[in-house]
């Protein structure tokens, strides 16, 4: 039996945590989301994570498709592609880490006080953050391996990085969707913002 709250095998927000979302589904959010800076900034961070991940996946896929890294290791375009992936990975790692810290220390305790019956939701999100931390370390290791790797072995490094990106992307997307499905209905129900 697996844990329904575990991030990797979780296919959707667990039924036990859907009450608030069922009362305030995404279709009703348009035009009702708090217009304060903190909520916009929080949602913008989620969009940025998705954009950085998509750009990294596209760059790594392009490297894998062209095969120039092993064939022409001194090619300036190959080195530029590696630098772009390293830059985006560093930004993603730093931003996700900082975002998790703010949520864990400030946002989640405050939101849990609005909805004490949803303690399991915030425990699940906290467990997600722990799992995402492990995925981030694996992703950082795979990027470092590509950057430091010998040109002849770069194709294998690219393959490993693609797998890490795919797994991290799947988990990150599941977490962000569930987090939004928990947090935004709380804000709407209570007419609150993240920093009230």
């Amino acid at each position: 039996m697996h844990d329904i709250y575990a991030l990797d095998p979780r296919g959707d927000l667990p039924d036990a945590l859907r009450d608030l979302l069922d009362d305030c589904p995404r279709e009703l959010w348009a035009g009702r989301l708090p217009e304060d800076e903190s909520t916009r900034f929080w949602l913008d961070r989620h969009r940025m994570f998705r954009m950085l991940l998509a750009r990294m996946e596209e760059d790594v896929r392009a490297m894998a498709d062209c095969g120039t890294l092993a064939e022409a290791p001194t090619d300036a375009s190959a080195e530029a592609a590696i630098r772009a992936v390293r830059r985006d990975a560093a930004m993603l790692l730093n931003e996700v880490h900082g975002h998790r810290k703010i949520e864990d220390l400030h946002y989640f305790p405050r939101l849990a006080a609005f909805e004490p019956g949803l303690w399991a939701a915030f425990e699940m999100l906290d467990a997600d953050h722990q799992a995402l931390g492990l995925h981030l370390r694996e992703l950082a290791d795979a990027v470092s391996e590509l950057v430091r790797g010998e040109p002849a072995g770069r194709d294998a490094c690219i393959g490993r990085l693609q797998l890490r990106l795919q797994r991290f992307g799947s988990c990150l997307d599941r977490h962000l969707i569930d987090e939004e499905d928990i947090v935004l209905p709380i804000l709407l129900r209570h007419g609150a913002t993240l920093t009230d």
Side-chain angles (χ1 to χ4, degrees):
M1 182 172 157
H2 76 277
D3 179 357
I4 63 166
Y5 299 108
L7 181 58
D8 284 343
R10 193 167 74 226
D12 200 356
L13 190 64
D15 289 343
L17 303 179
R18 294 191 60 84
D19 289 346
L20 209 59
L21 180 62
D22 290 343
D23 288 345
C24 188
R26 281 182 178 259
E27 302 81 55
L28 299 180
W29 295 359
R32 295 184 59 203
L33 291 178
E35 287 296 318
D36 66 294
E37 277 187 43
S38 62
T39 305
R40 277 196 309 273
F41 181 78
W42 182 76
L43 287 169
D44 284 345
R45 296 291 95 182
H46 286 199
R47 282 188 279 277
M48 182 188 68
F49 301 153
R50 290 172 171 125
M51 181 271 303
L52 284 170
L53 189 61
R55 193 163 65 196
M56 286 177 64
E57 288 171 333
E58 183 179 320
D59 288 346
V60 172
R61 186 173 29 256
M63 282 190 267
D65 290 347
C66 79
T68 59
L69 293 182
E71 295 166 17
T74 59
D75 184 349
S77 64
E79 295 304 320
I82 292 171
R83 281 194 307 276
V85 168
R86 182 179 61 196
R87 180 197 63 234
D88 286 345
M91 184 181 293
L92 181 66
L93 295 167
N94 288 332
E95 292 292 336
V96 169
H97 177 71
H99 185 76
R100 286 174 25 209
K101 193 172 185 179
I102 289 170
E103 288 176 337
D104 291 341
L105 296 177
H106 301 288
Y107 295 165
F108 292 169
R110 197 172 158 283
L111 293 167
F114 280 122
E115 293 286 339
L118 284 179
W119 62 269
F122 292 102
E123 284 187 345
M124 179 189 77
L125 295 176
D126 181 60
D128 286 1
H129 286 176
Q130 303 308 313
L132 287 169
L134 297 173
H135 285 289
L136 283 169
R137 279 195 287 282
E138 291 176 349
L139 181 60
D141 290 346
V143 171
S144 292
E145 183 183 25
L146 174 65
V147 170
R148 291 188 326 259
E150 293 296 319
R154 283 185 175 158
D155 287 342
C157 292
I158 290 168
R160 286 189 289 278
L161 180 53
Q162 282 182 302
L163 290 174
R164 293 287 183 224
L165 282 167
Q166 181 182 25
R167 185 161 182 199
F168 175 70
S170 173
C171 290
L172 179 67
D173 192 54
R174 174 78 271 144
H175 170 71
L176 294 177
I177 289 168
D178 290 348
E179 190 173 82
E180 292 162 2
D181 286 349
I182 291 166
V183 169
L184 292 171
I186 291 173
L187 295 178
L188 290 169
R189 174 185 276 186
H190 295 278
T193 67
L194 288 169
T195 56
D196 279 345

